[in-house]
Amino acid sequence: MIARLKGEWEDEYQRWQKRDLSARRYVYVWADGVYLQARIEPQAECMLVLIGATPEGKKELIGFQTGMRESAQSWKELLVDLKARGLSIAPEVAVGDGALGFWKALDETFPSTRHQRCWLHKTLNVLDKFPKSVQPNAHKDLREIWLAPDRATAETAIATFAEKYAPKYDKAVECLIKDRETLLTFFDFPADHWDHLRTTNPIESVFATVRHRTARMKGALSQATARLMVFKLVMAAAKTWRRLQGQNQLPKVIQGVKFQDGIEVAPEAKSAA
């Protein structure tokens, strides 16, 4: 029975991996490499995960395969495969961790897609460079940046953070400053979408449940079976994913309407001839 079930999962997975994407478009995408330890094996397998938001605001699993999280080649194989199956229109924004090889692959495959670095990952990386006693205050100061009402306030908060901590914790400040532009990309999109664009939470929240399930069964799973089981768990979870807030703003993003600090910018009136 287990062998038959695994065979059915494998068939379903292979069909999904070959599905036609020519009718699909994704406005935003979230990328991450998720490690799941199945059996006690030399290396945990990394699942490369890509989730996208459709023009209707629905979140969908786009890409899912094993690979190396930091490898640009692994990510490029995934992206090129999606493109070959018809995903020809570049997403407007991609959200992910700075450590991913994804960014190089993205620039080669969809060069017009803008980068938004995940604030959840960045915050953890910056705080890791502080002693534990300083971390609560530093975390509060970082929140002042990503929760700022506009780009100018965020820029001021970054400058304040740098001035406050650079004398003693220059590595923490450097970690923040080097990605300042891609950390603030979300300000150029509708304010209703900011919560969605600031982090890779769509992936993190899904895999919290998946990790719980696979951890309980880790002694019974090979890497191949773990991959199939994770795929099935994610597809089941996808049925309950909530749509993006501000769905009515997505067509405007697609049409190229400009937003400044989350607010639609009225097009300049053409001067009379």
Side-chain angles (χ1 to χ4, degrees), residues 93-96 103 114-119 182-183 185-186 197:
V93 182
V95 187
W103 300 110
R114 296 185 63 184
H115 298 194
Q116 169 65 52
R117 293 293 171 86
C118 171
W119 269 102
T182 51
L183 283 166
T185 300
F186 68 88
L197 292 175

Side-chain angles (χ1 to χ4, degrees), residues 218-269:
K218 109 174 169 179
L221 293 178
S222 67
Q223 295 285 20
T225 306
R227 171 174 52 81
L228 294 173
M229 181 177 154
V230 169
F231 170 71
K232 288 294 291 181
L233 286 170
V234 173
M235 294 304 284
K239 296 174 183 175
T240 64
W241 289 349
R242 294 180 180 177
R243 290 176 183 256
L244 266 63
Q245 298 172 18
Q247 300 162 35
N248 60 320
Q249 303 284 357
L250 287 166
K252 295 179 182 179
V253 174
I254 291 170
Q255 291 160 15
V257 172
K258 300 296 181 187
F259 288 81
Q260 183 175 353
D261 295 327
I263 301 168
E264 183 178 340
V265 177
E268 294 182 10

Side-chain angles (χ1 to χ4, degrees), residues 30-55:
W30 296 266
D32 206 353
V34 183
Y35 289 97
L36 294 167
Q37 186 75 53
R39 284 184 179 154
I40 307 303
E41 297 187 7
Q43 187 175 352
E45 193 154 43
C46 185
M47 311 287 184
L48 306 185
V49 184
L50 202 65
I51 289 176
T54 69

Side-chain angles (χ1 to χ4, degrees), residues 67-232:
M68 294 177 63
R69 186 175 187 272
E70 288 80 15
S71 163
Q73 182 59 35
S74 291
W75 283 104
K76 189 168 183 181
E77 288 169 10
L78 188 153
L79 292 174
V80 166
D81 178 59
L82 296 176
K83 206 168 183 179
R85 287 190 280 119
L87 192 64
S88 57
I89 303 175
E92 298 297 324
V93 182
V95 187
D97 176 19
L100 297 177
F102 171 74
W103 300 110
K104 183 181 178 187
L106 181 71
D107 285 343
E108 293 174 358
T109 316
F110 295 110
S112 65
T113 300
R114 296 185 63 184
H115 298 194
Q116 169 65 52
R117 293 293 171 86
C118 171
W119 269 102
L120 178 65
H121 286 93
K122 177 56 71 175
T123 297
L124 292 173
N125 291 340
V126 173
L127 292 180
D128 191 49
K129 292 168 175 53
F130 284 104
K132 283 199 166 132
S133 59
V134 182
Q135 287 180 6
N137 283 336
H139 186 249
K140 183 180 175 184
D141 292 335
L142 288 168
R143 281 173 56 85
E144 294 292 323
I145 303 170
W146 81 70
L147 293 178
D150 52 60
R151 184 184 289 267
T153 305
E155 292 278 9
T156 300
I158 289 174
T160 301
F161 185 92
E163 184 179 0
K164 182 174 179 179
Y165 295 110
K168 289 186 71 175
Y169 310 108
D170 58 313
K171 284 187 170 58
V173 171
E174 182 186 341
C175 181
L176 174 68
I177 297 295
K178 71 184 178 72
D179 293 319
R180 68 189 300 161
E181 285 304 315
T182 51
L183 283 166
L184 303 181
T185 300
F186 68 88
F187 282 114
D188 295 336
F189 291 87
D192 284 341
H193 300 168
W194 288 1
D195 281 350
H196 303 293
L197 292 175
R198 282 190 290 236
T199 73
T200 52
N201 264 345
I203 295 176
E204 298 291 333
S205 57
V206 170
F207 275 83
T209 303
V210 171
R211 280 195 186 95
H212 176 70
R213 294 287 294 274
T214 53
R216 291 174 66 116
M217 299 181 67
K218 109 174 169 179
L221 293 178
S222 67
Q223 295 285 20
T225 306
R227 171 174 52 81
L228 294 173
M229 181 177 154
V230 169
F231 170 71
K232 288 294 291 181

